[in-house]
PDB file of all heavy atoms in Angstrom:
ATOM      1  N   GLU F  13      51.125 -67.641  -8.154  1.00  0.00           N
ATOM      2  CA  GLU F  13      51.490 -68.811  -8.975  1.00  0.00           C
ATOM      3  C   GLU F  13      52.971 -69.132  -8.798  1.00  0.00           C
ATOM      4  O   GLU F  13      53.356 -70.296  -8.710  1.00  0.00           O
ATOM      5  CB  GLU F  13      51.189 -68.550 -10.461  1.00  0.00           C
ATOM      6  CG  GLU F  13      49.716 -68.523 -10.816  1.00  0.00           C
ATOM      7  CD  GLU F  13      49.056 -69.893 -10.857  1.00  0.00           C
ATOM      8  OE1 GLU F  13      49.768 -70.918 -10.791  1.00  0.00           O
ATOM      9  OE2 GLU F  13      47.822 -69.920 -10.931  1.00  0.00           O
ATOM     10  N   LYS F  14      53.806 -68.092  -8.743  1.00  0.00           N
ATOM     11  CA  LYS F  14      55.253 -68.280  -8.575  1.00  0.00           C
ATOM     12  C   LYS F  14      55.554 -68.950  -7.231  1.00  0.00           C
ATOM     13  O   LYS F  14      56.418 -69.837  -7.158  1.00  0.00           O
ATOM     14  CB  LYS F  14      55.978 -66.919  -8.678  1.00  0.00           C
ATOM     15  CG  LYS F  14      57.477 -67.024  -8.669  1.00  0.00           C
ATOM     16  CD  LYS F  14      58.001 -67.663  -9.932  1.00  0.00           C
ATOM     17  CE  LYS F  14      59.500 -67.783  -9.882  1.00  0.00           C
ATOM     18  NZ  LYS F  14      60.010 -68.907 -10.623  1.00  0.00           N
ATOM     19  N   SER F  15      54.829 -68.561  -6.181  1.00  0.00           N
ATOM     20  CA  SER F  15      55.017 -69.187  -4.866  1.00  0.00           C
ATOM     21  C   SER F  15      54.728 -70.680  -4.937  1.00  0.00           C
ATOM     22  O   SER F  15      55.461 -71.496  -4.378  1.00  0.00           O
ATOM     23  CB  SER F  15      54.092 -68.551  -3.818  1.00  0.00           C
ATOM     24  OG  SER F  15      54.430 -67.217  -3.613  1.00  0.00           O
ATOM     25  N   LEU F  16      53.659 -71.041  -5.656  1.00  0.00           N
ATOM     26  CA  LEU F  16      53.293 -72.448  -5.812  1.00  0.00           C
ATOM     27  C   LEU F  16      54.362 -73.199  -6.614  1.00  0.00           C
ATOM     28  O   LEU F  16      54.735 -74.325  -6.265  1.00  0.00           O
ATOM     29  CB  LEU F  16      51.923 -72.572  -6.492  1.00  0.00           C
ATOM     30  CG  LEU F  16      51.367 -73.978  -6.658  1.00  0.00           C
ATOM     31  CD1 LEU F  16      51.154 -74.653  -5.309  1.00  0.00           C
ATOM     32  CD2 LEU F  16      50.057 -73.946  -7.430  1.00  0.00           C
ATOM     33  N   GLU F  17      54.884 -72.558  -7.674  1.00  0.00           N
ATOM     34  CA  GLU F  17      55.937 -73.186  -8.491  1.00  0.00           C
ATOM     35  C   GLU F  17      57.190 -73.462  -7.653  1.00  0.00           C
ATOM     36  O   GLU F  17      57.797 -74.531  -7.772  1.00  0.00           O
ATOM     37  CB  GLU F  17      56.327 -72.276  -9.661  1.00  0.00           C
ATOM     38  CG  GLU F  17      55.326 -72.257 -10.791  1.00  0.00           C
ATOM     39  CD  GLU F  17      55.669 -71.201 -11.847  1.00  0.00           C
ATOM     40  OE1 GLU F  17      56.868 -70.852 -11.999  1.00  0.00           O
ATOM     41  OE2 GLU F  17      54.725 -70.714 -12.500  1.00  0.00           O
ATOM     42  N   VAL F  18      57.563 -72.499  -6.808  1.00  0.00           N
ATOM     43  CA  VAL F  18      58.745 -72.660  -5.952  1.00  0.00           C
ATOM     44  C   VAL F  18      58.534 -73.846  -5.009  1.00  0.00           C
ATOM     45  O   VAL F  18      59.442 -74.661  -4.811  1.00  0.00           O
ATOM     46  CB  VAL F  18      59.043 -71.357  -5.159  1.00  0.00           C
ATOM     47  CG1 VAL F  18      60.053 -71.598  -4.049  1.00  0.00           C
ATOM     48  CG2 VAL F  18      59.530 -70.264  -6.098  1.00  0.00           C
ATOM     49  N   LEU F  19      57.325 -73.962  -4.445  1.00  0.00           N
ATOM     50  CA  LEU F  19      57.021 -75.085  -3.557  1.00  0.00           C
ATOM     51  C   LEU F  19      57.163 -76.411  -4.303  1.00  0.00           C
ATOM     52  O   LEU F  19      57.777 -77.355  -3.807  1.00  0.00           O
ATOM     53  CB  LEU F  19      55.593 -74.954  -2.993  1.00  0.00           C
ATOM     54  CG  LEU F  19      55.129 -76.109  -2.109  1.00  0.00           C
ATOM     55  CD1 LEU F  19      55.888 -76.116  -0.790  1.00  0.00           C
ATOM     56  CD2 LEU F  19      53.631 -76.042  -1.863  1.00  0.00           C
ATOM     57  N   GLN F  20      56.629 -76.463  -5.514  1.00  0.00           N
ATOM     58  CA  GLN F  20      56.699 -77.711  -6.278  1.00  0.00           C
ATOM     59  C   GLN F  20      58.140 -78.065  -6.652  1.00  0.00           C
ATOM     60  O   GLN F  20      58.505 -79.237  -6.676  1.00  0.00           O
ATOM     61  CB  GLN F  20      55.784 -77.629  -7.504  1.00  0.00           C
ATOM     62  CG  GLN F  20      54.322 -77.713  -7.083  1.00  0.00           C
ATOM     63  CD  GLN F  20      53.339 -77.365  -8.174  1.00  0.00           C
ATOM     64  OE1 GLN F  20      53.637 -76.620  -9.088  1.00  0.00           O
ATOM     65  NE2 GLN F  20      52.141 -77.908  -8.054  1.00  0.00           N
ATOM     66  N   GLU F  21      58.963 -77.042  -6.919  1.00  0.00           N
ATOM     67  CA  GLU F  21      60.383 -77.294  -7.193  1.00  0.00           C
ATOM     68  C   GLU F  21      61.068 -77.873  -5.952  1.00  0.00           C
ATOM     69  O   GLU F  21      61.868 -78.802  -6.049  1.00  0.00           O
ATOM     70  CB  GLU F  21      61.096 -76.006  -7.607  1.00  0.00           C
ATOM     71  CG  GLU F  21      60.819 -75.595  -9.036  1.00  0.00           C
ATOM     72  CD  GLU F  21      61.422 -74.239  -9.383  1.00  0.00           C
ATOM     73  OE1 GLU F  21      62.374 -73.794  -8.708  1.00  0.00           O
ATOM     74  OE2 GLU F  21      60.920 -73.623 -10.335  1.00  0.00           O
ATOM     75  N   GLU F  22      60.734 -77.301  -4.778  1.00  0.00           N
ATOM     76  CA  GLU F  22      61.314 -77.811  -3.534  1.00  0.00           C
ATOM     77  C   GLU F  22      60.887 -79.253  -3.302  1.00  0.00           C
ATOM     78  O   GLU F  22      61.684 -80.092  -2.887  1.00  0.00           O
ATOM     79  CB  GLU F  22      60.883 -76.941  -2.348  1.00  0.00           C
ATOM     80  CG  GLU F  22      61.618 -75.634  -2.252  1.00  0.00           C
ATOM     81  CD  GLU F  22      61.244 -74.824  -1.019  1.00  0.00           C
ATOM     82  OE1 GLU F  22      60.676 -75.390  -0.052  1.00  0.00           O
ATOM     83  OE2 GLU F  22      61.512 -73.616  -1.015  1.00  0.00           O
ATOM     84  N   TYR F  23      59.615 -79.537  -3.568  1.00  0.00           N
ATOM     85  CA  TYR F  23      59.101 -80.897  -3.376  1.00  0.00           C
ATOM     86  C   TYR F  23      59.781 -81.880  -4.322  1.00  0.00           C
ATOM     87  O   TYR F  23      60.003 -83.022  -3.956  1.00  0.00           O
ATOM     88  CB  TYR F  23      57.586 -80.949  -3.584  1.00  0.00           C
ATOM     89  CG  TYR F  23      56.777 -80.452  -2.396  1.00  0.00           C
ATOM     90  CD1 TYR F  23      55.404 -80.411  -2.464  1.00  0.00           C
ATOM     91  CD2 TYR F  23      57.384 -80.042  -1.221  1.00  0.00           C
ATOM     92  CE1 TYR F  23      54.651 -79.967  -1.387  1.00  0.00           C
ATOM     93  CE2 TYR F  23      56.642 -79.589  -0.148  1.00  0.00           C
ATOM     94  CZ  TYR F  23      55.267 -79.557  -0.232  1.00  0.00           C
ATOM     95  OH  TYR F  23      54.525 -79.128   0.829  1.00  0.00           O
ATOM     96  N   SER F  24      60.117 -81.445  -5.529  1.00  0.00           N
ATOM     97  CA  SER F  24      60.739 -82.374  -6.485  1.00  0.00           C
ATOM     98  C   SER F  24      62.133 -82.799  -6.017  1.00  0.00           C
ATOM     99  O   SER F  24      62.635 -83.839  -6.424  1.00  0.00           O
ATOM    100  CB  SER F  24      60.796 -81.769  -7.884  1.00  0.00           C
ATOM    101  OG  SER F  24      61.789 -80.770  -7.952  1.00  0.00           O
ATOM    102  N   SER F  25      62.758 -81.991  -5.166  1.00  0.00           N
ATOM    103  CA  SER F  25      64.096 -82.351  -4.695  1.00  0.00           C
ATOM    104  C   SER F  25      64.059 -83.152  -3.388  1.00  0.00           C
ATOM    105  O   SER F  25      65.097 -83.530  -2.872  1.00  0.00           O
ATOM    106  CB  SER F  25      64.966 -81.102  -4.532  1.00  0.00           C
ATOM    107  OG  SER F  25      64.491 -80.331  -3.453  1.00  0.00           O
ATOM    108  N   ILE F  26      62.858 -83.417  -2.860  1.00  0.00           N
ATOM    109  CA  ILE F  26      62.749 -84.231  -1.647  1.00  0.00           C
ATOM    110  C   ILE F  26      62.719 -85.697  -2.047  1.00  0.00           C
ATOM    111  O   ILE F  26      61.909 -86.109  -2.871  1.00  0.00           O
ATOM    112  CB  ILE F  26      61.492 -83.852  -0.825  1.00  0.00           C
ATOM    113  CG1 ILE F  26      61.640 -82.441  -0.259  1.00  0.00           C
ATOM    114  CG2 ILE F  26      61.284 -84.861   0.316  1.00  0.00           C
ATOM    115  CD1 ILE F  26      60.435 -81.946   0.505  1.00  0.00           C
ATOM    116  N   ARG F  27      63.603 -86.473  -1.457  1.00  0.00           N
ATOM    117  CA  ARG F  27      63.754 -87.879  -1.776  1.00  0.00           C
ATOM    118  C   ARG F  27      62.644 -88.682  -1.124  1.00  0.00           C
ATOM    119  O   ARG F  27      62.451 -88.630   0.078  1.00  0.00           O
ATOM    120  CB  ARG F  27      65.119 -88.329  -1.259  1.00  0.00           C
ATOM    121  CG  ARG F  27      65.568 -89.642  -1.734  1.00  0.00           C
ATOM    122  CD  ARG F  27      67.066 -89.742  -1.564  1.00  0.00           C
ATOM    123  NE  ARG F  27      67.518 -89.728  -0.202  1.00  0.00           N
ATOM    124  CZ  ARG F  27      67.599 -90.806   0.556  1.00  0.00           C
ATOM    125  NH1 ARG F  27      67.245 -91.968   0.097  1.00  0.00           N
ATOM    126  NH2 ARG F  27      68.054 -90.727   1.784  1.00  0.00           N
ATOM    127  N   ALA F  28      61.911 -89.454  -1.908  1.00  0.00           N
ATOM    128  CA  ALA F  28      60.779 -90.220  -1.368  1.00  0.00           C
ATOM    129  C   ALA F  28      61.012 -91.728  -1.476  1.00  0.00           C
ATOM    130  O   ALA F  28      60.077 -92.490  -1.640  1.00  0.00           O
ATOM    131  CB  ALA F  28      59.505 -89.830  -2.108  1.00  0.00           C
ATOM    132  N   GLY F  29      62.268 -92.162  -1.404  1.00  0.00           N
ATOM    133  CA  GLY F  29      62.548 -93.590  -1.453  1.00  0.00           C
ATOM    134  C   GLY F  29      62.697 -94.130  -2.864  1.00  0.00           C
ATOM    135  O   GLY F  29      63.237 -95.192  -3.079  1.00  0.00           O
ATOM    136  N   ARG F  30      62.196 -93.389  -3.837  1.00  0.00           N
ATOM    137  CA  ARG F  30      62.352 -93.794  -5.234  1.00  0.00           C
ATOM    138  C   ARG F  30      63.430 -92.908  -5.853  1.00  0.00           C
ATOM    139  O   ARG F  30      63.626 -91.782  -5.446  1.00  0.00           O
ATOM    140  CB  ARG F  30      61.041 -93.570  -6.006  1.00  0.00           C
ATOM    141  CG  ARG F  30      60.043 -94.701  -5.822  1.00  0.00           C
ATOM    142  CD  ARG F  30      58.893 -94.481  -6.785  1.00  0.00           C
ATOM    143  NE  ARG F  30      57.553 -94.517  -6.264  1.00  0.00           N
ATOM    144  CZ  ARG F  30      57.069 -93.855  -5.222  1.00  0.00           C
ATOM    145  NH1 ARG F  30      57.835 -93.076  -4.518  1.00  0.00           N
ATOM    146  NH2 ARG F  30      55.820 -93.954  -4.875  1.00  0.00           N
ATOM    147  N   ALA F  31      64.081 -93.420  -6.871  1.00  0.00           N
ATOM    148  CA  ALA F  31      65.110 -92.638  -7.554  1.00  0.00           C
ATOM    149  C   ALA F  31      64.433 -91.576  -8.419  1.00  0.00           C
ATOM    150  O   ALA F  31      63.611 -91.883  -9.269  1.00  0.00           O
ATOM    151  CB  ALA F  31      65.962 -93.548  -8.426  1.00  0.00           C
ATOM    152  N   ASN F  32      64.768 -90.332  -8.174  1.00  0.00           N
ATOM    153  CA  ASN F  32      64.228 -89.218  -8.940  1.00  0.00           C
ATOM    154  C   ASN F  32      65.408 -88.328  -9.332  1.00  0.00           C
ATOM    155  O   ASN F  32      66.063 -87.768  -8.459  1.00  0.00           O
ATOM    156  CB  ASN F  32      63.228 -88.450  -8.062  1.00  0.00           C
ATOM    157  CG  ASN F  32      62.629 -87.253  -8.772  1.00  0.00           C
ATOM    158  OD1 ASN F  32      63.083 -86.841  -9.830  1.00  0.00           O
ATOM    159  ND2 ASN F  32      61.611 -86.684  -8.174  1.00  0.00           N
ATOM    160  N   PRO F  33      65.698 -88.195 -10.625  1.00  0.00           N
ATOM    161  CA  PRO F  33      66.864 -87.401 -11.042  1.00  0.00           C
ATOM    162  C   PRO F  33      66.847 -85.957 -10.536  1.00  0.00           C
ATOM    163  O   PRO F  33      67.887 -85.331 -10.445  1.00  0.00           O
ATOM    164  CB  PRO F  33      66.794 -87.438 -12.574  1.00  0.00           C
ATOM    165  CG  PRO F  33      65.948 -88.614 -12.902  1.00  0.00           C
ATOM    166  CD  PRO F  33      65.010 -88.801 -11.756  1.00  0.00           C
ATOM    167  N   HIS F  34      65.664 -85.447 -10.146  1.00  0.00           N
ATOM    168  CA  HIS F  34      65.584 -84.064  -9.663  1.00  0.00           C
ATOM    169  C   HIS F  34      66.306 -83.862  -8.328  1.00  0.00           C
ATOM    170  O   HIS F  34      66.612 -82.730  -7.967  1.00  0.00           O
ATOM    171  CB  HIS F  34      64.128 -83.609  -9.544  1.00  0.00           C
ATOM    172  CG  HIS F  34      63.486 -83.390 -10.876  1.00  0.00           C
ATOM    173  ND1 HIS F  34      63.877 -82.388 -11.729  1.00  0.00           N
ATOM    174  CD2 HIS F  34      62.498 -84.058 -11.502  1.00  0.00           C
ATOM    175  CE1 HIS F  34      63.148 -82.453 -12.831  1.00  0.00           C
ATOM    176  NE2 HIS F  34      62.305 -83.455 -12.720  1.00  0.00           N
ATOM    177  N   VAL F  35      66.584 -84.948  -7.588  1.00  0.00           N
ATOM    178  CA  VAL F  35      67.323 -84.778  -6.338  1.00  0.00           C
ATOM    179  C   VAL F  35      68.743 -84.272  -6.616  1.00  0.00           C
ATOM    180  O   VAL F  35      69.389 -83.750  -5.723  1.00  0.00           O
ATOM    181  CB  VAL F  35      67.372 -86.066  -5.471  1.00  0.00           C
ATOM    182  CG1 VAL F  35      66.000 -86.493  -5.038  1.00  0.00           C
ATOM    183  CG2 VAL F  35      68.118 -87.181  -6.153  1.00  0.00           C
ATOM    184  N   LEU F  36      69.202 -84.417  -7.852  1.00  0.00           N
ATOM    185  CA  LEU F  36      70.559 -83.964  -8.220  1.00  0.00           C
ATOM    186  C   LEU F  36      70.572 -82.531  -8.764  1.00  0.00           C
ATOM    187  O   LEU F  36      71.638 -82.002  -9.072  1.00  0.00           O
ATOM    188  CB  LEU F  36      71.150 -84.910  -9.276  1.00  0.00           C
ATOM    189  CG  LEU F  36      71.243 -86.389  -8.879  1.00  0.00           C
ATOM    190  CD1 LEU F  36      71.668 -87.232 -10.073  1.00  0.00           C
ATOM    191  CD2 LEU F  36      72.192 -86.579  -7.724  1.00  0.00           C
ATOM    192  N   ASP F  37      69.397 -81.909  -8.886  1.00  0.00           N
ATOM    193  CA  ASP F  37      69.293 -80.581  -9.511  1.00  0.00           C
ATOM    194  C   ASP F  37      70.204 -79.525  -8.894  1.00  0.00           C
ATOM    195  O   ASP F  37      70.745 -78.688  -9.593  1.00  0.00           O
ATOM    196  CB  ASP F  37      67.848 -80.072  -9.475  1.00  0.00           C
ATOM    197  CG  ASP F  37      66.963 -80.760 -10.510  1.00  0.00           C
ATOM    198  OD1 ASP F  37      67.510 -81.531 -11.330  1.00  0.00           O
ATOM    199  OD2 ASP F  37      65.745 -80.527 -10.492  1.00  0.00           O
TER     200      ASP F  37
END
Side-chain angles (χ1 to χ4, degrees):
E13 289 285 350
K14 186 69 181 150
S15 295
L16 183 62
E17 284 173 27
V18 167
L19 177 69
Q20 287 168 333
E21 283 174 22
E22 283 184 18
Y23 281 178
S24 74
S25 69
I26 293 177
R27 192 160 66 86
R30 278 189 231 51
N32 179 348
H34 288 293
V35 298
L36 302 172
D37 284 353

